[in-house]
Amino acid sequence: MIWLSIVLLSCLALAPAALPLWRRARQVRDERSAALSLHEAQLSEIDRDLDIGLIAPAEHDIARLEIQRRILVADTAPTHADDAIPPVAVWSALGLIPIAAVGLYLTNGVPSLPAQPLGPRLAAQHEQNTRGDAVVQRLKATLAMIPAGDPNLRQGYLLLGQAEATREHYAEAAEAWNHALSLGFDPEVAARTGEALTRAASHVTPQALDLFRKALDAAPKDAPWRGAIQARIAEGEHEQDNP
């Protein structure tokens, strides 16, 4: 099926280049035929004028000779256009283009790559989402059973936030990480929470900006994410100054 598609696409791509060649040859033939038809009509016209006495026989003979001369000139006109590059060479070059394209595809592409229909991919995505929902629900059920003073509660909220962020549910991830922050501040978690809030709102919110500042103040000097936090703070301050 893919090869048929390649052939059809090649024909469509080459059509604009091939059409002028065909039109030019047809135009030359049409101009020659039109000239011959015109001169033959002129012959018939002067014969009719002679019959009804509009012109003298001598004038008729002179006009007839002139028209016959024009017919000979038109009949010897070329039936094809003389190009600097022969049409055969042009058509050959056009034919080589799809062959070269197929060659490039075979050498640089992956013809053996199996097809990836949309239906199975959507089904796989739905199955993955279903599994993710089940994991999140189990985490929430487990968190509901952990006592308030248990150290595992904070770790559970961290895991829940990570699971939600993996699914790109940034608002839910920020909510879970905020619970973890309320049980114990950590600059990296604060930075993640601010980033989740920013992605959920598509801009740096005041709450996210506050978290970024707190994270930067408490972050180790060698923290690899300090630069990203500073960039977010600058972005948030710019948005505040230019609402």
Side-chain angles (χ1 to χ4, degrees):
M1 186 64 181
I2 187 174
W3 299 110
L4 178 60
S5 301
I6 290 175
V7 171
L8 292 176
L9 290 175
S10 299
C11 292
L12 289 175
L14 294 176
L19 190 59
L21 295 175
W22 177 77
R23 282 183 174 176
R24 183 171 184 184
R26 181 179 177 183
Q27 181 181 4
V28 171
R29 290 194 297 269
D30 290 346
E31 289 177 354
R32 177 177 176 273
S33 300
L36 290 174
S37 299
L38 175 63
H39 297 325
E40 289 173 357
Q42 289 175 339
L43 281 177
S44 300
E45 184 178 354
I46 62 172
D47 289 341
R48 185 175 62 253
D49 291 345
L50 177 63
D51 293 339
I52 62 178
L54 291 179
I55 60 174
E59 294 175 341
H60 171 269
D61 293 339
I62 294 173
R64 186 175 183 83
L65 287 174
E66 176 61 22
I67 294 173
Q68 288 176 343
R69 184 188 66 79
R70 294 179 183 178
I71 289 176
L72 290 175
V73 172
D75 193 43
T76 57
T79 58
H80 62 279
D82 293 329
D83 297 320
I85 302 177
V88 175
V90 177
W91 284 106
S92 300
L94 290 176
L96 287 175
I97 291 176
I99 297 175
V102 171
L104 288 174
Y105 173 68
L106 292 175
T107 55
N108 298 325
V110 189
S112 59
L113 187 68
Q116 297 182 356
L118 180 60
R121 283 188 287 141
L122 290 177
Q125 183 64 43
H126 177 70
E127 183 180 354
Q128 182 179 355
N129 292 338
T130 302
R131 288 199 301 267
D133 291 339
V135 170
V136 168
Q137 292 304 320
R138 285 198 299 270
L139 276 173
K140 289 181 177 180
T142 302
L143 287 172
M145 294 185 295
I146 298 177
D150 194 324
N152 291 323
L153 184 61
R154 181 176 181 276
Q155 186 63 30
Y157 278 119
L158 291 175
L159 291 175
L160 178 60
Q162 186 61 44
E164 295 286 17
T166 302
R167 303 165 66 208
E168 297 185 357
H169 295 177
Y170 296 115
E172 291 81 357
E175 182 180 358
W177 283 333
N178 266 322
H179 281 296
L181 287 173
S182 66
L183 298 174
F185 183 81
D186 180 89
E188 186 173 355
V189 176
R192 290 184 183 180
T193 307
E195 184 65 25
L197 289 170
T198 299
R199 295 192 180 188
S202 299
H203 68 93
V204 181
T205 64
Q207 183 184 359
L209 181 59
D210 183 59
L211 285 170
F212 286 138
R213 287 169 174 165
K214 290 180 179 178
L216 185 62
D217 291 340
K221 294 188 179 299
D222 58 347
W225 39 267
R226 285 182 65 94
I229 297 304
Q230 290 171 340
R232 283 299 195 190
I233 291 174
E235 180 182 347
E237 291 176 346
H238 177 75
E239 291 178 358
Q240 284 186 345
D241 296 337
N242 301 276

